[in-house]
Amino acid sequence: MVANKIDLMLTGPMMQYVEDQLNDLFTVHRLGKAADREALIAGVGHRVRAIATAGGAPVDAAMMQKLPKLEIVSNFGVGYDSVDAKWAGAHGIVVTNTPDVLNEEVADTTIGLLLATVRQLSQAERYLRAGKWLEKPFPLTVATLRDRTIGIIGMGRIGKAIARRLEAFGVTIVYHSRRPATGVPWRHYPDLIAMARDVDVLIVIIPGGPATKNLINREVLEALGPNGILINVARGSVVDETALIDALRSKKILSAGLDVYADEPRVPKELIDMDHIVLLPHVASASVHTRRAMGQLVVDNLKAWAAGNNPLTPVPETPWPPKGR
Ligand code: NAP
Ligand code: 8YV
């Protein structure tokens, strides 16, 4: 039986619950645990037909080229910027991700981060714990959600879930994406700078990767202005971090709430040293409930493929079955 198992490479650790299922179904080769990764790939790479990945090691062309029998890359996370899906698509390899099962969780966290940033909730808690309330009340916050206009960058699955929540707050909602989203009532701005000029808060929820690298640059931050707040729950690469640090230091914008960073888990000291911003360690989807659902989708995609069926959630760059098949 074991001899018939398909060889799968795991690029880094996954939840035990996921690893247990992968162990039952596949012969698993753990790249993350290998003392010599190149030796592992040289030894078993010719047999590997599947990859399960949760970020960490990039699944790039260089790696996939070393796995001549590779057919599927199952990515933990809706964002798959660490996988070269374009190369995979051009070489008949299907890439799957974990859309939808995390929409509500990520939207909840985004609202939490927005409120914490606007009303300085993290700072207020630190104030209480430091015993400062005994001396005098926490200062009134300059910012409020009242009368704010919120510009969402990315009106996809998660952007819509965020916007639906924001409607209940009575704020004005507008959005930017390359094309207008279907079936939404909010104003679309084809021009990001124009939207940044018109809003008080930018919430970023678009894919990472080369196409969006540093999309939020100095010009966008200056357009957002001194009352402006940036919330980034997308990818660190989407924001020019140096420009952001400068804008915060020079008060070109008021504050920021960040869940993601360019070189995470390393976060620039300049950001850590700023007390008026809110920093989260990439936790937008990080509940047991949601991470289990994401993990199950990683497994279910692999299971469907191994049984000869269509993978459940192929990414747009690798439609399955490929056209013409
Ligand atoms: P989605 O449904 O594919 O939506 C993506 C949205 O971004 C679409 O509205 C798309 O519209 C827009 N977009 C794409 N490229 C753009 C560009 N160059 N400029 C402007 N807008 C662009 O994706 P989703 O499921 O909502 O997820 C979005 C991203 O959130 C993921 O890829 C991931 O990186 C991130 N995320 C982060 C966390 C976290 O833990 N912090 C959790 C989940 C997801 P157009 O194509 O019309 O431009
Ligand atoms: C995950 C995410 O935390 O889905 C995504 O794109 O960023 C998060 O939900 C991350 O992918 C874990 O590797």
Side-chain angles (χ1 to χ4, degrees):
M1 288 293 279
V2 173
N4 292 331
K5 279 185 173 178
I6 293 172
D7 288 75
L8 173 141
M9 188 167 280
L10 189 57
T11 62
M14 290 231 189
M15 299 162 77
Q16 196 54 49
Y17 156 81
V18 174
E19 290 207 18
D20 289 346
Q21 293 188 66
L22 294 179
N23 282 330
D24 284 347
L25 293 163
F26 301 102
T27 300
V28 178
H29 305 285
R30 290 183 165 68
L31 200 56
K33 287 199 175 151
D36 183 342
R37 296 158 72 105
E38 285 308 315
L40 178 78
I41 294 172
V44 301
H46 63 286
R47 295 205 305 265
V48 168
R49 291 175 56 202
I51 287 181
T53 184
V59 181
D60 53 17
M63 178 195 272
M64 289 187 275
Q65 264 162 356
K66 292 175 191 157
L67 312 175
K69 292 201 177 130
L70 185 65
E71 291 177 42
I72 182 167
V73 179
S74 184
N75 182 69
F76 180 91
V78 67
Y80 50 96
D81 43 315
S82 61
V83 180
D84 190 340
K86 208 170 158 197
W87 191 92
H91 292 81
I93 299 162
V94 63
V95 177
T96 63
N97 65 345
T98 60
D100 290 321
V101 293
L102 42 47
N103 294 350
E104 308 306 323
E105 199 77 71
V106 175
D108 288 353
T109 313
T110 306
I111 298 297
L113 181 56
L114 171 69
L115 290 175
T117 308
V118 170
R119 297 299 323 288
Q120 299 196 343
L121 301 182
S122 306
Q123 294 86 335
E125 191 192 0
R126 287 200 290 275
Y127 187 90
L128 179 153
R129 288 180 188 276
K132 293 185 185 168
W133 191 15
L134 296 167
E135 295 158 22
K136 56 180 180 182
F138 186 70
L140 305 183
T141 63
V142 174
T144 169
L145 267 195
R146 300 306 102 230
D147 301 327
R148 277 195 176 243
T149 297
I150 302 202
I152 303 179
I153 305 177
M155 190 47 73
R157 293 168 290 238
I158 302 173
K160 286 178 188 144
I162 294 169
R164 280 199 307 274
R165 282 160 174 73
L166 285 173
E167 277 203 315
F169 287 74
V171 293
T172 304
I173 301 163
V174 297
Y175 74 97
H176 164 73
S177 53
R178 291 166 300 180
R179 293 166 292 271
T182 48
V184 303
W186 307 294
R187 176 176 171 188
H188 174 248
Y189 279 77
D191 180 20
L192 175 54
I193 301 282
M195 182 173 86
R197 234 180 260 128
D198 286 358
V199 303
D200 311 291
V201 175
L202 284 177
I203 297 179
V204 194
I205 186 70
I206 53 177
T212 56
K213 190 167 167 54
N214 291 343
L215 186 74
I216 314 302
N217 57 18
R218 202 169 297 277
E219 209 186 342
V220 173
L221 295 170
E222 281 178 12
L224 181 58
N227 193 32
I229 289 178
L230 175 74
I231 304 293
N232 185 14
V233 281
R235 282 291 180 268
S237 61
V238 172
V239 174
D240 178 343
E241 254 172 21
T242 307
L244 175 62
I245 291 165
D246 287 351
L248 286 164
R249 274 187 172 156
S250 58
K251 301 195 185 327
K252 289 207 168 102
I253 66 168
L254 186 64
S255 188
L258 309 174
D259 185 46
V260 287
Y261 308 87
D263 186 29
E264 54 189 57
R266 285 158 292 276
V267 177
K269 186 167 181 317
E270 293 93 329
L271 291 176
I272 290 178
D273 286 347
M274 287 182 204
D275 189 52
H276 71 299
I277 62 174
V278 179
L279 305 175
L280 299 181
H282 200 150
V283 292
S285 68
S287 69
V288 172
H289 169 94
T290 294
R291 287 288 173 86
R292 275 182 78 101
M294 292 163 64
Q296 194 56 54
L297 194 45
V298 168
V299 174
D300 290 346
N301 267 301
L302 289 163
K303 258 188 184 169
W305 160 79
N309 299 321
N310 289 343
L312 307 177
T313 50
V315 304
E317 293 89 334
T318 68
W320 207 259
K323 287 190 185 89
R325 243 192 221 193

